[in-house]
Every structure is written in structure tokens, then in C-alpha cells.
Amino acid sequence: MTGHPVGFPATDSYVPKEEMGDAADFGEPVERVGVIGCGLMGSGIAEAAALAGCQVTVVASRPASAAAGRDRITASLARSVRKQRMTEEQREAAQGRLTFTTDLDDLRDRQLVVESIREHEQEKLELFSALDRVVKDPAAILASNTSSLPISRIGQATARPGQVIGIHFFNPVPAMPLVELICSLDTSEAVHEQARRFAEDVLGKEAIRSTDRSGFVVNALLIPYLLSAVRMVESGFASADVIDQGMVLGCSHPLGPLKLVDLVGLDTVAGIAASLYQEFKEPLYAPPPLLLRMVETGRHGRKTGQGFYTYDT
């Protein structure tokens, strides 16, 4: 673990790809990956990339976060060994490909950097502006794991909006097979193709392409469904367990909507809903008062031990 906290390093300016001639090659396989943030999603992305053979540098905001992220990945890999999903040798090899740091400048040689910090637009814009100065590879792709924010606005925080793309993973990242690729009006087709090859050929995921609009494909469909379940609880129409039982046994869903809200995180669901409502002004996207009150009081679901259900933490 090294250096100073994530910030705005005083480094040389990025040189646009078009000024680099043949030095920039989007056809090179992605082997050097950076991940910013090591919460549930960031650590999952880092684990998946390391398992796929990539050298992964994980940047955390502070040493305690880096240590927690390392422990989370270590525990996940150990579970996979116990369940015979991988060998002890594969676990050791994956862990050997992971480096943790608090210094953003350690991403300077990365071919692909995936941002996975909290869903706060201004923080993401400031981070991408800093990344633009730090990452030196002229063909490097800067990606956001945002679940709702416009990629076009994130890209405009850089001098290379054509190399900014959304790569939206799903939780838990090592197990979930889908990745959404979101191209802004600026994102080049070469960058999309490189991101698709990384998702499918390197990570072994299935990639779908989405237009750059809030919620993308999956959350534009999922969030109204989850909010409807919250409103049913709020109105007293049915309890959380009755709603979940109905959708699992009656519609063959693997998980009921309220347990899914707890898994995703009530704060995350509320944030995506707010972003959808801001863009479309449709009442079905507005976060219900009950959801907002639960978030305000720290009931964020599984990660805090309490949401619509109670969990051991």
C-alpha cells in the first residue's frame, strides 16, 4: 500500500490519441486493469479481472478501505476453493495479480480503468478529470460502473471523451454473467469493441449494448418493479415476505423484489430512482417516502444488517 490519498496529482497533461500516430492501438488485449473503489462492486470487479489473468491495481480512498477490500476478495476466493469452484493454486495466482494502493498515480500505465465509487455525479466528474491527467497510455479506456449517470457528462470531464464508456457490472460480479456497455455520443466504436472483447473474451461475461440514458437497459426495467413492491409495503397492501413469496412462487423469480432491494442496497436503489426521475419525470421512477426514510436512518439492506429484512453482519 503506498503514497498519498486519491486526489489531483500534478502530472503531465494527457496527449490525445490522434496526436500519437501508431502508438495508440485499441486492438491490444487488455492485461493491465485499474479499479477505483473497493466496496462490494469494486472488489468484485477486481476479483473477476484477477481471476481472468489480468494484473489489477485497486485504488482505495484510504488504507482502511484498501484493507477491507483485500479481506473481502480473500474471503470470496477462499469460499470458491471450499466449494471446489477453483483450486488452491488458482486462488494463489489470482491473489498474486492484485495490488492495493491509495495513490491514483499508480494507475498511470493501465490499459483499462474502471471507476466504482459511490453514485455521486460531482465526485465522478472530479475523479475522471484527475484520471485524464494520470493515465498515460494513449489507448487507455476510462470506464464507469455507474448504474444510472450519463456517460456523456462523465466523458466531458476528460480530454478524451471518445475513450470513456460505461461498463456496468452486476452484484455479485464474479457470479453474475451480464455486463452492460454504455456508449455516449462521443464513445468511439473501437473503444466499444475493445470493451466488448474485454467483457466477453477476457472475463467470460455476456455483454449487451445500451443507449446512454439514465438506468440503461436493466435498471430502466428493474427499478420501477422494485419501487412498486416498496409502495405495496408502504401502503399496507401486503408485507415484504408475502410480496416476495408471491413473486418467487407465482412468477418463478429466484429472489423476491424486497429481498433484491436489500441485496442491491436501499441507498443504491434510491439513488438510481432519483436519477431516473430527474431525467424522465415519470412518477413510477420517484423513490417512495418509505424508501427515503429507511435510507436516512441507515437501513441500507444486507450491507448494514437491516433493510426490509434483518441480517447478521
Side-chain angles (χ1 to χ4, degrees):
M1 200 176 300
T2 63
H4 54 272
V6 172
F8 299 91
T11 57
D12 296 335
S13 297
Y14 162 73
V15 179
K17 173 181 178 292
E18 55 268 21
E19 298 178 17
M20 296 296 295
D22 294 332
D25 182 5
F26 288 119
E28 293 182 358
V30 172
E31 298 174 343
R32 302 184 306 278
V33 176
V35 178
I36 304 175
C38 54
L40 284 174
M41 294 302 296
S43 60
I45 295 166
E47 179 182 344
L51 284 170
C54 298
Q55 295 295 326
V56 184
T57 298
V58 183
V59 179
S61 58
R62 57 189 189 278
S65 297
R70 185 194 297 273
D71 290 346
R72 187 177 292 111
I73 294 173
T74 298
S76 176
L77 293 173
R79 283 194 301 272
S80 293
V81 172
R82 288 197 303 272
K83 294 180 179 180
Q84 299 183 329
R85 294 172 182 164
M86 70 176 67
T87 65
E88 182 65 27
E89 291 74 20
Q90 289 172 321
R91 181 195 66 79
E92 291 179 358
Q95 285 191 292
R97 300 185 192 106
L98 289 160
T99 301
F100 293 81
T101 180
T102 57
D103 191 345
L104 201 67
D105 195 54
D106 289 336
L107 300 178
R108 58 190 175 276
D109 69 338
R110 301 292 92 177
Q111 297 167 286
L112 169 67
V113 177
V114 182
E115 164 274 314
S116 188
I117 65 173
R118 69 180 184 131
E119 283 289 271
H120 188 284
E121 183 170 338
Q122 188 57 37
E123 289 183 14
K124 290 182 188 288
L125 296 180
E126 292 172 0
L127 175 58
F128 273 79
S129 179
L131 279 176
D132 199 30
R133 298 192 292 272
V134 168
V135 180
K136 299 304 180 185
D137 188 329
I141 296 173
L142 305 183
S144 177
N145 184 50
T146 179
S147 52
S148 60
L149 297 175
I151 301 302
S152 59
R153 289 209 291 267
I154 294 173
Q156 288 301 313
T158 76
R160 45 180 139 180
Q163 290 167 239
V164 176
I165 190 170
I167 303 181
H168 181 214
F169 294 87
F170 294 84
N171 185 37
V173 178
M176 294 295 280
L178 184 69
V179 172
E180 285 182 307
L181 301 178
I182 305 97
C183 297
S184 75
L185 295 175
D186 296 310
T187 306
S188 77
E189 281 301 313
V191 165
H192 171 264
E193 178 59 19
Q194 180 76 323
R196 185 198 64 77
R197 288 201 300 265
F198 172 71
E200 296 188 343
D201 300 343
V202 177
L203 299 185
K205 306 291 189 184
E206 291 288 336
I208 60 173
R209 182 167 181 164
S210 172
T211 301
D212 186 20
R213 46 175 273 170
S214 185
F216 316 132
V217 173
V218 173
N219 280 326
L221 292 168
L222 176 63
I223 295 301
Y225 162 64
L226 299 182
L227 298 182
S228 293
V230 175
R231 292 189 184 100
M232 291 181 78
V233 174
E234 183 177 56
S235 69
F237 183 85
S239 63
D241 56 341
V242 165
I243 294 167
D244 284 348
Q245 186 179 30
M247 296 309 295
V248 170
L249 300 181
C251 298
S252 296
H253 287 200
L255 201 65
L258 281 316
K259 284 190 176 178
L260 183 54
V261 170
D262 279 359
L263 177 63
V264 172
L266 279 73
D267 54 334
T268 300
V269 172
I272 299 170
S275 179
L276 284 162
Y277 183 72
Q278 181 181 12
E279 179 146 324
F280 300 111
K281 301 298 187 292
E282 293 283 355
L284 78 164
Y285 292 132
L290 174 61
L291 180 63
L292 297 176
R293 296 299 87 78
M294 293 177 73
V295 171
E296 290 166 0
T297 54
R299 293 167 171 83
H300 294 177
R302 284 183 176 271
K303 57 190 172 185
T304 61
Q306 189 172 7
F308 288 95
Y309 298 86
T310 301
Y311 306 89
D312 293 329
T313 55

